[in-house]
């Protein structure tokens, strides 16, 4: 059974509703942004259900190659469905139960009327306790996959602004970073710049790759602009100009 992490109060309510859906034969819609756990929750409700994209399901229904009757299926991104009547007729004829996921805030009215219940999963930045458990889970996973010792939570470079996908990626990167030295960093930057080198002002265009992380590190370490200017060897006016230039990235 898929594990839907539910430590936050709003996630616990969602999980309780999902448990009820395990025992009743009704159509359910799961709404949320990318990477919040929609598919995981759907698999928690119905672990043995086959997962379809809208494209492949419509194709299989049209070609009459599906041999499914009185079963539950999961449909991902149901907002991409282009032939609603075809799907609804097939569901009725074969007594199919649907658990669907969507990122769309509004669906076709026929689909809205079709689903008996909608579970809305909040983004990760509204689920602080879930975020902590997901961080532990992905850290354990990265340690196992990369065959390395677990690193301290304080060393994890976490990207918590988006979703679980970006969080997992940032944790794996943190583990890889532990084995990276100056040579690898320079090689990585060289490859990135070589791939993206274009135009006649490339030096200025790429300068932020050096200055932004340096300013962020100095800001974190020295706190005040006075101390930052001192240890970076810049006068305060120059420092303020750079901080203003990169304010959206800092």
């Amino acid at each position: 059974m898929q594990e839907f992490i539910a430590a936050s109060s709003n996630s616990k309510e969602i999980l309780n509703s999902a448990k009820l859906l395990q025992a009743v034969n009704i159509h359910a819609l799961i709404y949320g942004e990318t990477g919040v756990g929609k598919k995981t929750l759907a698999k928690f409700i119905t672990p043995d259900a086959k997962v379809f994209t809208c494209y492949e399901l419509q194709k299989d229904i049209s070609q009459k190659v599906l041999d499914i009757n009185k079963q539950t299926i999961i449909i991902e991104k149901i907002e991409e469905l282009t032939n609603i009547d075809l799907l609804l007729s097939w569901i009725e004829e074969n007594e199919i139960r649907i658990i669907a996921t969507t990122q769309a805030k509004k669906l076709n009215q026929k689909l809205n009327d079709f689903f008996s219940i909608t579970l809305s999963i909040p983004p990760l930045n509204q689920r602080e306790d879930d975020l902590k458990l997901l961080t532990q889970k992905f850290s354990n996973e990265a340690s196992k996959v990369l065959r390395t010792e677990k690193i301290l939570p304080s060393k994890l470079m976490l990207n918590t602004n988006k979703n679980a996908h970006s969080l997992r990626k940032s944790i794996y990167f943190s583990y890889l970073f532990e084995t990276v030295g100056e040579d690898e960093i320079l090689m990585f930057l060289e490859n990135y710049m070589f791939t993206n080198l274009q135009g006649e002002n490339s030096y200025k265009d790429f300068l932020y790759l050096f200055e932004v992380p340096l300013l962020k590190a100095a800001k974190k370490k020295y706190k005040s602009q006075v101390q930052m200017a001192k240890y970076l060897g810049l006068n305060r006016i120059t420092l303020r100009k750079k901080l203003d230039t990169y304010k959206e990235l800092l």
Side-chain angles (χ1 to χ4, degrees):
M1 181 180 291
Q2 290 279 344
E3 178 191 14
F4 180 78
I5 290 178
S8 301
S9 57
N10 47 14
S11 296
K12 288 179 180 178
E13 292 179 8
I14 292 169
L15 188 60
N16 287 335
S17 297
K19 289 177 180 177
L20 292 175
L21 284 172
Q22 291 176 332
V24 294
N25 189 31
I26 61 174
H27 306 298
L29 180 68
I30 303 173
Y31 164 77
E33 299 174 0
T34 298
V36 296
K38 298 187 297 297
K39 185 177 177 180
T40 300
L41 186 63
K43 292 294 288 183
F44 173 84
I45 295 170
T46 175
D48 299 324
K50 185 174 181 180
V51 181
F52 290 90
T53 65
C54 290
Y55 172 78
E56 65 182 346
L57 181 58
Q58 287 182 157
K59 181 180 178 182
D60 289 347
I61 293 173
S62 298
Q63 296 178 354
K64 299 181 179 180
V65 296
L66 287 175
D67 185 20
I68 299 176
N69 186 263
K70 296 182 180 180
Q71 295 182 33
T72 299
I73 66 169
I74 296 170
I75 305 177
E76 293 188 281
K77 298 181 180 179
I78 200 166
E79 70 272 16
E80 296 179 356
L81 190 68
T82 58
N83 194 334
I84 297 172
D85 292 332
L86 176 69
L87 175 66
L88 296 181
S89 296
W90 177 75
I91 290 170
E92 184 177 358
E93 290 171 7
N94 294 279
E95 300 181 52
I96 304 296
R97 180 197 182 197
I98 302 295
I99 305 294
T101 69
T102 183
Q103 299 176 48
K105 294 182 178 180
K106 291 184 178 180
L107 293 177
N108 181 283
Q109 191 58 47
K110 286 184 179 180
L111 287 177
N112 282 331
D113 295 339
F114 174 75
F115 291 103
S116 302
I117 186 173
T118 297
L119 301 181
S120 182
I121 305 178
L124 281 182
N125 58 18
Q126 296 178 23
R127 297 154 53 196
E128 185 176 347
D129 291 333
D130 293 355
L131 189 59
K132 292 177 182 178
L133 290 182
L134 279 170
T135 300
Q136 292 175 12
K137 176 184 176 181
F138 294 153
S139 183
N140 291 336
E141 178 186 299
S143 174
K144 183 177 180 180
V145 170
L146 299 175
R147 298 182 180 180
T148 184
E149 295 293 324
K150 285 190 65 176
I151 63 177
L152 295 173
S154 59
K155 288 189 174 184
L156 293 174
M157 297 175 284
L158 303 179
N159 182 353
T160 61
N161 295 326
K162 295 182 179 179
N163 52 52
H165 302 320
S166 57
L167 176 64
R168 175 187 264 125
K169 183 178 179 181
S170 68
I171 290 174
Y172 269 78
F173 183 80
S174 297
Y175 273 82
L176 289 171
F177 186 77
E178 287 295 298
T179 65
V180 170
E182 288 185 7
D183 290 342
E184 288 82 7
I185 293 173
L186 290 173
M187 181 176 63
F188 175 79
L189 286 172
E190 177 189 343
N191 289 339
Y192 178 82
M193 291 175 181
F194 179 79
T195 302
N196 295 280
L197 201 63
Q198 58 184 346
E200 299 180 352
N201 203 22
S202 293
Y203 183 87
K204 184 177 179 181
D205 291 342
F206 284 125
L207 195 58
Y208 78 97
L209 290 174
F210 167 76
E211 293 193 321
V212 168
L214 182 60
L215 290 170
K216 291 180 76 171
K219 188 176 182 181
K220 183 184 297 184
K221 185 169 184 176
Y222 301 120
K223 312 302 180 184
S224 73
Q225 291 187 18
V226 173
Q227 293 298 308
M228 287 175 65
K230 175 183 177 181
Y231 288 103
L232 289 176
L234 299 172
N235 65 58
R236 291 174 64 183
I237 295 175
T238 301
L239 176 62
R240 281 197 294 269
K241 287 181 178 179
K242 290 185 178 296
L243 291 173
D244 185 64
T245 298
Y246 301 121
K247 60 184 178 183
E248 294 184 0
L249 296 173
L250 294 174

